[in-house]
Amino acid sequence: MTESLNLKCLEDSARRHVRGLKTGQKLPAVLPAPLNLSLTSDQDFQYTVERLAASVIGDHSLSVSFPLLCTPTASLVACLASFTDPQDPWTSEKSHRLSGFMLSSYFSTLHENSKQFDAIIKDILAHYIKPLFLKSRTPLLTPAARHAIFPLPGPNGPSEFDAANKPWKFQSPHVVTILQWVISQLDAQLVEVHWPLIIPPLLTILDDVSITYKIKGCSLLSLLLNVCPASLLERSGLGEIFHSTLVPYLLYLPSLTPEEESIPLLDATYTTLIALTQARYATSNTENAKIKALDTMFRYGILKGYAHAGENVRIARLLMGKSSDLVNALKIHCVKHLKDLLPVISGILTAPFATAYPPLLQAALQTLQTVLVNGGPRIEFHRGEVLGGLIICWRRLEDEVESAPELVGFQKTVEDVLRAAVQLLGGDERIKEDLCLLQAFSPRFETLLDV
């Protein structure tokens, strides 16, 4: 494979970065901090990091052959893994592409040798990641990363913003990206083997005061839940710790939390909490506990959140979208929440300026569709909220569509949802009377409601 790198123009700069890594000097933000693990040779080290440095700082291009001469070691893999998240400020498009290519090339052969693969992962976790989190370890865990029944008091004195107390945050932030890459490479067996090395840093990141790291922690936990056995969460007691850590984040709402921070945190928290609940209660005999956890999330998160910050249209849109996810997770058990949820949806549909922010209108319609699918048997008891909200919304859209052609799609969606609701309620004599009154009131409803 060929990578476009202008090594001739950038040779001096790249070599300076290499010398910084080799002598332990402090580096600019574009490269991670020194890796204090041995490589197979200085030549291998220089060959690899020189090209990474060049790809980070270079904008020119020159066709250069890129053979894989290095034997993969823990420090080399950690160096490459620190460039695997394109959202990191030190990662350029070139360095991300190059590190991904090298890691995939190395590990296509390493996966065939499970012992060598396991040794590299363990080396990274034990000798590179773990030391950076020792001073900020949570007292809720035992040394084996189990739930501590009698947790020891946390450390006193150092501030949360003390760089010496949290070197992973203030001196080596790229270690979070390395941990993310490591977790993405694990399977269920390796997760259990390396559990004591994975959980302490993950929980520390998740419980950090910074909103950015809370979001990162949610992302790491979601990755872990994809491969973590439900029995391991139960045996370790960490399912409850993760749940109690995440639930307070549901109320990080404006105006106490800035909107630009609240929205990504709420999005990540709801997604992770639903995945955590599904993972903890994956068997049929834990169905009741699963429903109880989802009910708590709905009441404590969605309803309280909407009551506190529902006037913020972006927050309302997010809560509507997460309501749809929760209704899908609850299935028929969502009917207990219809008395609270449907008035909220109806209020959005009938709002005088509903069309001023179409994404919120779209989210409300999607949630209503989800409610009709999952809570159909009980919709007849809420027919006033459902039909009233849809008909008023359709009437307003019909009046505005001439001046705003982009609303045609929303009008079609409202018509489809309304017809689906009428079909669902078609066997009820009361709904037939209501439809006759509407058709008599305005001939415009005759074609709309003729189903």
Side-chain angles (χ1 to χ4, degrees), residues 18 21-22 35 37-50 69-76 106:
V18 175
L21 283 174
K22 292 174 70 175
L35 301 173
L37 299 174
S38 61
L39 285 170
T40 52
S41 70
D42 281 354
Q43 184 180 4
D44 289 344
F45 186 93
Q46 181 170 339
Y47 191 91
T48 301
V49 181
E50 189 172 271
L69 301 179
C70 307
T71 302
T73 60
S75 71
L76 175 58
Y106 286 142

Side-chain angles (χ1 to χ4, degrees), residues 81-92:
S82 62
F83 292 95
T84 53
D85 189 346
Q87 302 301 319
D88 290 332
W90 58 82
T91 302
S92 70

Side-chain angles (χ1 to χ4, degrees), residues 20-27 32-39 45 73-76 78-79 123-124 127-129 131-132 171-172 174 178:
L21 283 174
K22 292 174 70 175
T23 60
Q25 297 172 359
K26 187 174 181 180
L27 297 176
L35 301 173
N36 299 318
L37 299 174
S38 61
L39 285 170
F45 186 93
T73 60
S75 71
L76 175 58
C79 180
D123 208 2
I124 293 174
H127 298 110
Y128 186 59
I129 295 177
L132 297 175
Q171 299 172 16
S172 304
H174 60 280
I178 298 174

